[in-house]
Amino acid sequence: MNQPADDNHLEREAQGQLTRRSLLRRAAAGLSGVAVVILTGEEAYVWGSAFQEAPQGAPAPVSYDPTKHHYVYLVDIDKCIGCGSCVRACERENQVPSGYFRTWIERYHISRTGNEVIDSPNGGRDGFEALVTGELVTKSFFVPKLCNHCSLTPCVQLCPVGASYRTPDNLILVDEQRCIGCSYCVQACPYGSRFIHPETHTASKCTLCYHRITKGLLTACIQACPRGVRKLGDTVKADDEVSEIIATRHVHVLKPELLTDPNCYYLGLSHEVR
Amino acid sequence: MEHTKHIWRAVILLLAFAVLAVIGRHFLVPETFGEHGFYRYASLAEFMSKPLVHGGAESCTPCHQEIASAKQTGKHASVSCEVCHAPLAVHASGEEKIADMPVDRSVRLCSTCHLRLIARPETMPQIDLHEHLELERSEPVPDMVCGLCHPPHAPQVE
């Protein structure tokens, strides 16, 4: 029964008549074409309108233009005394919950045998006590850490909802309203800079005190540091101190082998630091 | 034509799909999303508008001129007031004082910076508390002892 019907179809198609099969084929082609128009047209509409509309929420300081800044961060390890002032200041400035850290200090004890003892009691928040490792320590130092605001960061790449993003002024921020708390980014960050906030259940991290630096103030950690360990640079500015140090001194980044291109530079970084 | 009805059905279906897509996007895509990239640009303004907690050393000077100028002459000139005290936000709102500033006189306050640790750079003045106070190792360090000899705002150490 089927055979003759098919033959009949082919015959009619060959004659240029409309059959159900050819109709469906044309409809499919048309549908995809219309879909492209709708989607791209709609895309253009959304993007265009976004430029004209003022951003919702609190207005940005008029004088601040994110496209006119490019921040970098510098840590001078040789100066750090491990007092934890930066950790405490960050906690207070950004209401960081107890036991979580946007910045923290690690202490390294390294012996001649290459044995490493690394500790960071409460993130270095309350300072450090003397530690006996049982070996002759040949090298010991503190390493303050924070989000590296990487240029090629995995945390932004894998965010499924566009909550993690790179700002025009070279920072990585998390939109709390968008974040669904899936914690992909927490696992992806090779530096352990992120955590899920126990109250908001969204990803939280160093914002480089965006509410401060956009007003021309220093970050809480830099302001609290009594030894000038931490410095904020703006590479767009002429005679920027940090840009000068990066250009002229032996600076290093954490885990360069991961090719994340961090924007947090270290002076005096030892190879044991991961 | 005998198939006109089919074509119209398909067209109506497509139009319905398009309308749904437009309406759906309107509700699902937040405002300012995509303005500068795959994120909500308004989020930046929200970060900017977060309240300041630390005022910086300059914010203390207008009311505490005497201490501020004394501090400038001492070894603690580079230590911001809020490191040892509390952030400005708990003490003042604008030019109004809202609460007393906590004063910490514990040994702990000094030892977080000045306790001798091998990880600390040698340029930092450091002490072993027991050695410095000539105590036996088993004896506890009395609290609030540092301030008896060392004025905290402008310590002059040789």
Side-chain angles (χ1 to χ4, degrees):
Chain A
M1 280 294 282
N2 285 339
Q3 200 59 36
D6 265 3
D7 281 350
N8 191 22
H9 267 255
L10 290 173
E11 223 168 83
R12 284 169 61 190
E13 236 170 277
Q15 288 162 14
Q17 286 183 9
L18 202 57
T19 64
R20 178 167 291 157
R21 182 178 297 175
S22 63
L23 175 75
L24 286 176
R25 200 178 289 145
R26 284 186 212 179
L31 184 69
S32 57
V34 171
V36 166
V37 169
I38 289 169
L39 292 177
T40 52
E42 177 61 10
E43 198 77 1
Y45 162 72
V46 170
W47 281 58
S49 65
F51 274 107
Q52 289 149 18
E53 285 162 21
Q56 292 293 297
V62 184
S63 56
Y64 187 78
D65 182 356
T67 58
K68 299 233 162 67
H69 298 269
H70 192 272
Y71 296 112
V72 288
Y73 199 87
L74 183 80
V75 178
D76 190 344
I77 286 178
D78 292 335
K79 286 184 186 166
C80 183
I81 58 168
C83 63
S85 300
C86 49
V87 183
R88 293 190 294 277
C90 174
E91 181 186 286
R92 295 184 301 218
E93 184 71 36
N94 299 297
Q95 294 87 48
V96 180
S98 174
Y100 296 84
F101 306 97
R102 289 187 178 195
T103 183
W104 66 98
I105 305 171
E106 293 173 3
R107 175 171 62 176
Y108 284 68
H109 285 103
I110 292 150
S111 61
R112 200 175 289 281
T113 54
N115 196 24
E116 299 168 11
V117 177
I118 307 159
D119 69 342
S120 182
N122 200 16
R125 184 200 176 279
D126 309 316
F128 290 80
E129 296 291 337
L131 183 78
V132 179
T133 64
E135 278 189 274
L136 181 66
V137 174
T138 50
K139 190 159 61 174
S140 186
F141 47 85
F142 294 103
V143 183
K145 287 191 174 176
L146 68 160
C147 170
N148 286 260
H149 295 278
C150 309
S151 294
L152 299 169
T153 175
C155 60
V156 170
Q157 281 179 46
L158 55 65
C159 180
V161 291
S164 280
Y165 62 94
R166 161 166 296 281
T167 65
D169 38 7
N170 204 32
L171 304 185
I172 306 294
L173 296 178
V174 183
D175 182 351
E176 277 182 25
Q177 288 185 27
R178 296 285 300 160
C179 180
I180 54 170
C182 70
S183 75
Y184 282 2
C185 58
V186 178
Q187 296 175 57
C189 176
Y191 305 101
S193 310
R194 288 167 170 252
F195 58 89
I196 295 292
H197 196 288
E199 280 155 32
T200 62
H201 303 293
T202 56
S204 186
K205 64 177 284 295
C206 164
T207 61
L208 222 54
C209 286
Y210 203 63
H211 59 298
R212 298 182 66 84
I213 61 172
T214 51
K215 296 182 183 78
L217 300 167
L218 288 172
T219 68
C221 54
I222 294 172
Q223 193 170 276
C225 183
R227 300 272 291 175
V229 173
R230 297 159 173 260
K231 284 188 173 69
L232 181 70
D234 188 350
T235 60
V236 176
K237 278 189 200 151
D239 70 354
D240 180 54
E241 188 194 356
V242 174
S243 306
E244 182 66 17
I245 291 170
I246 292 167
T248 57
R249 303 275 302 274
H250 294 181
V251 290
H252 208 66
V253 293
L254 294 174
K255 302 185 185 180
E257 71 278 10
L258 296 178
L259 307 175
T260 55
D261 195 7
N263 286 301
C264 179
Y265 294 86
Y266 284 85
L267 263 174
L269 189 70
S270 195
H271 74 95
E272 295 87 355
V273 181
R274 295 281 175 267
Chain B
M1 250 173 75
E2 58 170 318
H3 295 293
T4 319
K5 213 165 76 179
H6 293 125
I7 294 166
W8 276 113
R9 268 188 201 161
V11 167
I12 288 163
L13 216 68
L14 283 172
L15 283 175
F17 170 75
V19 168
L20 273 177
V22 170
I23 293 170
R25 280 195 68 99
H26 178 74
F27 285 107
L28 293 175
V29 178
E31 280 195 69
T32 74
F33 197 93
E35 197 170 312
H36 283 262
F38 192 69
Y39 64 95
R40 203 170 53 88
Y41 190 56
S43 164
L44 259 76
E46 288 160 22
F47 275 109
M48 285 182 208
S49 62
K50 284 194 196 281
L52 294 171
V53 178
H54 289 78
E58 306 78 39
S59 61
C60 311
T61 314
C63 297
H64 303 282
Q65 189 69 54
E66 214 171 292
I67 295 171
S69 45
K71 199 164 144 292
Q72 281 310 312
T73 64
K75 288 276 183 183
H76 281 169
S78 66
V79 184
S80 180
C81 310
E82 290 159 308
V83 170
C84 300
H85 296 280
L88 181 75
V90 305
H91 176 60
S93 171
E95 288 180 5
E96 289 288 302
K97 179 180 169 182
I98 51 170
D100 282 338
M101 197 54 140
V103 178
D104 185 0
R105 293 195 172 89
S106 68
V107 170
R108 185 84 207 150
L109 180 77
C110 309
S111 72
T112 45
C113 292
H114 294 290
L115 185 71
R116 183 174 295 150
L117 297 174
I118 49 170
R120 259 180 197 150
E122 281 166 16
T123 50
M124 183 68 191
Q126 303 167 52
I127 52 149
D128 181 302
L129 287 169
H130 287 86
E131 218 175 272
H132 189 70
L133 298 168
E134 294 169 359
L135 294 170
E136 290 295 320
R137 288 283 152 193
S138 54
E139 285 180 82
V141 176
D143 209 15
M144 302 201 277
V145 72
C146 308
L148 300 176
C149 302
H150 307 286
H153 289 128
Q156 304 291 345
V157 183
E158 297 312 314

